[in-house]
Amino acid sequence: MMAEFTGRFDSLLTDIITGTQKAVFCINEEARETFEALKDCEKLVITVKKFRRKRSIDANAYFHVLVGKIADEMAISKARCKNILIGRYGQPELLADGSEAVMKANVPVEWMLEQEALHCRCIGSREEDGKELLFYKIYRGSHTYDTKEMSALIDGTVAEAKDQGIETITPGQLERLKHDWESGRAVMKSPL
């Protein structure tokens, strides 16, 4: 069983004899069923992170609409277009230590840009043992972005679309869409 809750820290207690720490949370959702199911587990994985409102599915859909229009205008594949845009305006994949994920490969850039499941950008090359090796910075897929990250991706993508002469939503509609992301309502559907 896995559960995810929102809430806040209430207190952190330390047993003066054993030194064991106990965290107390105020939870916004009903947690009794989860507690009953997991209370006897000897060890759990506990992750606590700052709450960030998720971006709307409509924002991601609008990004993909623009990707398709830009790809058509440039006569390139949607996968290539998406990888280019995510490489310019997207968020890097981070390793456990917080560093950005970089991959070393002998795979040509042209092939990498056509990948659907892996988003990357070539950041350099080096010759090793007589072969050219390329270094690719890896990016997260747009479906993982929060509101702020998606907003940056959309802003860059809208600018690229305008540069190609592609009609986009009006600045007022874009501002309302961003406001909806921030408020969590995300009620506006893409008119394009």
Side-chain angles (χ1 to χ4, degrees):
M1 174 179 217
M2 187 175 108
E4 185 173 298
F5 302 100
T6 61
R8 64 176 178 77
F9 265 118
D10 181 60
S11 58
L12 184 64
L13 310 169
T14 304
D15 185 302
I16 58 172
I17 296 172
T18 64
T20 303
Q21 292 184 337
K22 294 182 182 183
V24 178
F25 295 90
C26 291
I27 299 173
N28 296 326
E29 296 81 18
E30 176 59 48
R32 281 178 238 170
E33 184 179 324
T34 303
F35 175 75
E36 288 300 321
L38 299 175
K39 71 180 181 182
D40 295 325
C41 292
E42 189 172 314
K43 199 171 200 177
L44 298 172
V45 174
I46 301 169
T47 302
V48 178
K49 60 185 178 181
K50 186 175 180 179
F51 175 80
R52 293 184 84 177
R53 191 174 307 281
K54 300 273 187 198
R55 52 77 185 143
S56 79
I57 235 23
D58 290 331
N60 200 28
Y62 185 57
F63 167 67
H64 284 90
V65 166
L66 291 179
V67 165
K69 290 178 180 265
I70 294 168
D72 290 347
E73 185 66 30
M74 297 178 68
I76 60 175
S77 71
K78 289 179 183 174
R80 176 181 291 266
C81 185
K82 183 176 177 181
N83 279 316
I84 290 169
L85 292 168
I86 287 178
R88 288 179 182 162
Y89 309 110
Q91 300 300 312
E93 185 70 53
L94 299 178
L95 301 175
D97 66 1
S99 63
E100 295 180 353
V102 175
M103 179 177 74
K104 177 173 74 169
N106 64 349
V107 180
V109 174
E110 296 301 313
W111 189 85
M112 290 296 279
L113 285 176
E114 295 297 334
Q115 301 311 298
E116 289 279 350
L118 178 66
H119 307 296
C120 62
R121 177 172 57 92
C122 186
I123 58 172
S125 64
R126 177 174 70 210
E127 190 172 311
E128 285 184 16
D129 299 324
K131 294 181 181 177
E132 181 184 31
L133 293 177
L134 300 167
F135 294 85
Y136 295 96
K137 183 175 177 178
I138 308 300
Y139 290 85
R140 293 179 11 231
S142 60
H143 68 280
T144 68
Y145 292 8
D146 63 25
T147 301
K148 183 178 176 183
E149 294 166 340
M150 183 57 85
S151 183
L153 181 62
I154 293 270
D155 285 344
T157 303
V158 166
E160 297 266 349
K162 287 180 178 179
D163 287 348
Q164 294 292 327
I166 296 167
E167 184 180 338
T168 63
I169 60 177
T170 67
Q173 289 172 315
L174 190 56
E175 285 309 308
R176 279 194 304 279
L177 185 59
K178 288 180 185 179
H179 173 74
D180 288 343
W181 296 337
E182 292 166 9
S183 69
R185 289 180 287 132
V187 295
M188 181 180 161
K189 301 288 185 209
S190 169
L192 299 177

